[in-house]
Each structure stands twice: as C-alpha cells, then as structure tokens.
C-alpha cells in the first residue's frame, strides 16, 4: 500500500516534527566533517519551510548509550545547517523533549526551524517507550519520517511517535520506497540482482526474496565460496560459511526450479594471504589451490557479469565482489560498478559498501538510486515490513 507523503497533506502554519538522519561524522574540532546526510534532508526541509510550516528536526547521532554526552551533541549539525540555510532562523533545543524543546517551539515562527538535541540521549528512544513517544508527539501537529537509515528499527522517534500524530513520508523516504518498491513489485525485465559481501547467512532472506522475483542472480564476494563448496569445489583458505553449505545447495536448486539464471564467478583472484600486497594470481573457480584464498572475482567473471548487467532493464546490487578495501582486489567491484553505470536500465545500489564503491569511483550520478540505508535497504529487499514505514498513513 502506498504511503502518504508531505505532498498529500496540508502543513501550512503547522508544527511538523521531522525525523531526519543527521547521524554525521564530527571531527576533533567539533565540526561536521561530511554533511551529505544534512544536504540530503534539505529538499524535505525546504519544502516544509516554503509551505510556511514550523519545522522541528529530530535525529540521533552516534551511540550515546541513552544519556547526554557532549561528544554526540547535534549542536555542530545546527551550525552546519545554518550555513546551508543562511536565511532561515534555526533554534537549538538542548533537549529532545521537556522545557527547552517546548519553549523554543513556543517562540518559533512559521518558516523557522527548531533542531532538537540528540534523541538517543534518552534511553527511552531505542526502547520505543510509549510515554517518551507521546511527549515527543506532543511537540507537533504532524510527523514526517525522512530517515531511511533507521526505518528498520522500531524506536520512539521512528515508529512510536506515529501512534499519536498524522504520519507521512518525506521526499527521501518517498524516493527510497518508490524506486525500490517498483523494482520489487513491478520490475522492468530482465531484472538482474547482484549480491556480494562476506557472509551468506546475512543475506539468506535477500537471496530468497530476490530469487522469487529476478531473472538473473549474480553472486560474488566472499559469499560465492560457500556456493562453490556446495558444488564440491576445493576453496582453499577462502571465506566459508560452513553452516550455510546445505542452504547454498537448496538455493542453487531453487534457482533451477524457478528458471532463474544463477551466475557465480567463473574465475577467482586468489592470494597467498589476506593482505593488501599479498602475492596473487587468477585461477578458474574450480581450481583454487589448497593453501590460497579467493579475494576477488577474476576478469572473465567481470566480463560475464558485465554482459548480463548491460542487457538488464532493472539492476539491484548489494555487496562488494571482493576485498575492495585492498586496491589489488577491488577490480571486480569496480568492474561491476562500471557496468551498472553503463547500464541503461534502472540501477539501484543498496547502500553500504557497494554504495561507497560507486561514489568513490565517481559513478554516483549514473545510477538511478543509491539507497541511504544499508540495513534498511537489505530488510526492504528481503521483503520485510519496515516498522518505520508500516506506521505511516496509507494513501
Ligand atoms: P557485507 O558487509 O556482508 O556486505 O561484506 C562486506 C565485506 O565483505 C567487505 O569488507 C569485503 O572486504 C568483504 N569481502 C568481500 N569479498 C571477500 C572475500 N573474497 N574474502 C573475504 N572478504 C570479502
């Protein structure tokens, strides 16, 4: 069911509580060192300001363990926000709830912003405490959810608060749900899913859900060796998810039964040890020497995957193809990123490491969508109901 967005309701003159993701890095000088997440929230904030709403911003930053800790204050975020919105009055409330929040909100005018202090200074936030959620809700007339990175968590500010207010999606969440929802529910075909990363067990749900929807499933990264093992290959010292070998067999069978093309790397870059400058060579995937370990997909695999990706009308990618942190073993991840950039279909990068790889390579602008939430996008791809989305009002 489609969810209401800020464009479906009237916000003029109303107090609008927006749950944003301002979980940004703060440097030793107490300044925001990367403002991407703040910038990403601007379209929603700007829209609400243009509608003459009173904008109340709420976020977490870091993991302050449920009590105030100046290291995790949102004050530096307020300073950066003032630079990004020089013409807007921004008040900073020294607490998320209580007198400081209430008095700032009472003093603010339409078209102004109150930034609340870190919501995780209260342990009731992560407990999703109903009383805390109610106090937060009492500050506003409307709730807007725009922190996709946290919608898979049922916290007071991401889920609980919506029990007490009209609740709608902001532009960021609207885009995440729109693009990924369309790809899962009604994909343009061929639909190619690419999964990589370390462990099969972390991605079982995603593999299962995507197997029921996609035409081709590409598996690379550390996950691939468990599938090799399931096919009886020697994998040497490569990463193995021993508890998932049986499951990998079942998934291979399921792909066959569903007529899904399941592609594993045909060649593998193996190294003597897990080190950036380790001696390495490329071998066919069924010839991994006993005392070597696979750290990347080989060039034939890159070519094979590339051909499939270029023909796709929808691509979803989550997880690197190798140990991309080491430049010598980053070529597989780079090759897949390049193929996705060149693909003319819808390309969706599911957060985390693949998103950083794509950005680092300068391909970000060439993707349809890069998800802002690693964990949340994985759960979405698993077909799970995200608590912070479920609470939003239906259209
Ligand atoms: P994940 O968080 O499950 O997406 O896994 C990402 C991590 O998987 C990255 O840190 C990669 O270095 C790691 N990874 C990818 N391929 C391999 C591999 N062949 N061997 C060991 N680790 C890998």
């Amino acid at each position: 069911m489609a969810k209401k967005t800020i464009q479906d309701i009237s916000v003029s003159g109303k107090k609008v509580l927006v749950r944003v993701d301002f979980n940004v890095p703060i440097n030793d000088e107490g300044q925001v060192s990367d403002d991407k997440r703040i910038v990403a929230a601007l379209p929603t904030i700007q829209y609400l300001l243009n509608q003459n709403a009173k904008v109340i911003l709420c976020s977490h930053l870091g993991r302050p363990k449920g009590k105030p800790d100046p290291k995790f204050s949102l004050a530096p975020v307020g300073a950066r926000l003032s630079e990004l919105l020089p013409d807007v009055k921004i008040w900073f409330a020294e607490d998320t709830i209580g007198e400081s929040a209430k008095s700032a909100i009472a003093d603010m005018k339409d078209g102004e912003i109150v930034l609340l202090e870190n919501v995780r200074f209260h342990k009731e936030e992560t407990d999703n405490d109903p009383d805390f959620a109610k106090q937060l809700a009492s500050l506003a007339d409307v709730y807007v959810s725009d922190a996709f990175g946290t919608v898979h968590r049922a916290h007071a500010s991401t889920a609980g608060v919506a029990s007490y207010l009209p609740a709608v999606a902001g532009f960021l969440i609207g885009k995440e749900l729109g693009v990924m929802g369309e790809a899962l529910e009604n994909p343009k075909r061929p639909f190619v899913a690419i999964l990589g990363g370390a462990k099969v067990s972390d991605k079982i749900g995603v593999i299962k859900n995507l197997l029921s929807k996609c035409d081709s499933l590409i598996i690379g990264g550390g996950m691939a060796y468990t599938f090799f093992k399931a096919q009886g290959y020697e994998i040497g010292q490569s990463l193995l998810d021993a508890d998932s070998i049986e499951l990998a067999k079942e998934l291979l069978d399921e792909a066959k039964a569903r007529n899904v093309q399941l592609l594993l790397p045909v060649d593998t870059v193996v190294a003597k040890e897990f080190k950036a400058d380790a001696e390495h060579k490329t071998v066919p995937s069924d010839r991994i020497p006993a005392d070597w370990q696979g750290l990347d997909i080989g060039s034939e695999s890159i070519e094979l995957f590339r051909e499939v990706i270029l023909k796709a009308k929808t691509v979803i990618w989550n997880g690197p193809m190798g140990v991309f942190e080491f430049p010598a073993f980053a070529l597989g991840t780079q090759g897949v990123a390049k193929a996705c950039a060149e693909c003319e279909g819808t390309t969706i990068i599911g957060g985390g490491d693949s998103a950083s790889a794509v950005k680092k390579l300068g391909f970000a602008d060439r993707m349809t969508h890069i998800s802002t939430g690693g964990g949340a996008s994985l759960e979405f791809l698993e077909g799970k109901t995200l608590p912070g989305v479920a609470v939003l009002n239906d259209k």
Side-chain angles (χ1 to χ4, degrees):
M1 174 81 80
K3 296 295 179 182
K4 276 194 185 161
T5 76
I6 40 176
Q7 285 171 305
D8 295 318
I9 56 164
S10 154
V11 292
S12 175
K14 291 194 179 148
K15 290 177 280 181
V16 182
L17 176 69
V18 191
R19 176 53 160 100
V20 283
D21 182 358
F22 284 169
N23 182 25
V24 293
I26 306 289
N27 65 20
D28 293 342
E29 284 81 51
Q31 288 159 342
V32 173
S33 56
D34 180 346
D35 67 359
K36 267 199 274 323
R37 287 185 170 158
I38 306 177
V39 171
L42 288 179
T44 295
I45 296 173
Q46 198 71 68
Y47 173 85
L48 293 169
L49 294 173
N50 292 345
Q51 300 283 312
N52 269 324
K54 294 184 172 77
V55 179
I56 305 161
L57 301 176
C58 171
S59 177
H60 76 286
L61 191 154
R63 294 174 185 264
K65 305 212 171 93
K67 52 180 193 306
D69 180 341
K71 251 200 342 262
F72 298 108
S73 172
L74 278 165
V77 172
R80 183 69 194 122
L81 195 59
S82 304
E83 289 167 6
L84 292 166
L85 298 170
D87 302 327
V88 180
K89 170 134 181 84
I90 301 174
W91 307 69
F92 183 70
E94 278 159 14
D95 194 359
T96 325
I97 52 166
E99 269 325 299
S100 61
K102 281 188 202 156
S103 70
I105 292 166
D107 289 344
M108 82 191 295
K109 299 196 182 66
D110 294 351
E112 294 183 353
I113 294 176
V114 166
L115 173 63
L116 303 174
E117 182 54 288
N118 193 340
V119 67
R120 286 199 191 156
F121 284 180
H122 293 265
K123 87 177 248 310
E124 294 84 353
E125 158 67 356
T126 45
D127 293 345
N128 195 9
D129 179 79
D131 187 53
F132 179 73
K134 212 171 185 171
Q135 289 188 61
L136 200 55
S138 73
L139 301 174
D141 308 310
V142 176
Y143 169 70
V144 173
S145 166
D146 215 21
F148 187 70
T150 56
V151 284
H152 58 314
R153 314 228 182 269
H155 291 170
S157 72
T158 60
V161 64
S163 304
Y164 309 101
L165 290 174
V168 300
F171 290 126
L172 264 183
I173 294 229
K175 184 176 182 221
E176 295 273 3
L177 299 180
V179 181
M180 289 203 287
E182 177 74 10
L184 291 185
E185 277 159 33
N186 190 20
K188 294 198 195 79
R189 297 185 180 277
F191 173 16
V192 177
I194 312 162
L195 292 175
K199 288 178 80 184
V200 182
S201 54
D202 287 348
K203 301 208 175 139
I204 295 167
V206 182
I207 301 176
K208 284 201 165 151
N209 193 36
L210 291 177
L211 265 185
S212 71
K213 299 179 189 296
C214 69
D215 302 295
S216 303
L217 176 62
I218 293 175
I219 293 185
M223 280 167 59
Y225 310 109
T226 304
F227 285 86
F228 290 160
K229 192 83 181 172
Q231 290 174 310
Y233 296 180
E234 164 71 63
I235 62 163
Q237 306 304 306
S238 310
L239 211 59
L240 173 68
D241 212 345
D243 295 338
S244 302
I245 299 174
E246 274 313 303
L247 184 90
K249 281 187 193 155
E250 284 166 30
L251 292 170
L252 289 166
D253 290 343
E254 192 179 332
K256 235 182 239 148
R258 288 185 178 274
N259 226 353
V260 171
Q261 178 189 37
L262 195 149
L263 292 166
L264 288 160
V266 288
D267 56 350
T268 296
V269 180
V270 292
K272 273 275 189 191
E273 50 194 328
F274 189 90
K275 246 171 76 180
D277 58 353
E279 180 191 345
H280 57 278
K281 61 184 180 185
T282 303
V283 297
S285 293
D286 57 355
R287 307 266 163 75
I288 298 178
D291 51 349
W292 294 61
Q293 56 185 294
L295 294 186
D296 197 8
I297 62 173
S299 54
E300 279 182 39
S301 309
I302 297 176
E303 205 38 54
L304 173 73
F305 294 174
R306 178 182 164 78
E307 276 172 31
V308 174
I309 294 167
L310 288 182
K311 286 192 202 123
K313 293 258 163 44
T314 305
V315 178
I316 289 186
W317 176 26
N318 182 291
M321 294 290 105
V323 183
F324 75 110
E325 295 92 336
F326 300 155
F329 306 105
L331 297 182
T333 303
Q334 289 169 3
V336 164
K338 186 160 179 280
C340 290
E342 287 169 19
C343 170
E344 287 178 1
T346 301
T347 43
I348 299 171
I349 313 301
D353 289 331
S354 8
S356 354
V358 163
K359 288 180 195 155
K360 206 167 135 198
L361 291 164
F363 294 140
D365 292 347
R366 294 165 68 182
M367 307 298 173
T368 309
H369 181 62
I370 299 182
S371 179
T372 51
S377 73
L378 264 189
E379 291 198 17
F380 192 80
L381 298 181
E382 272 182 62
K384 280 194 184 160
T385 305
L386 305 173
V389 175
V391 295
L392 303 179
N393 304 149
D394 293 325
K395 270 204 183 175

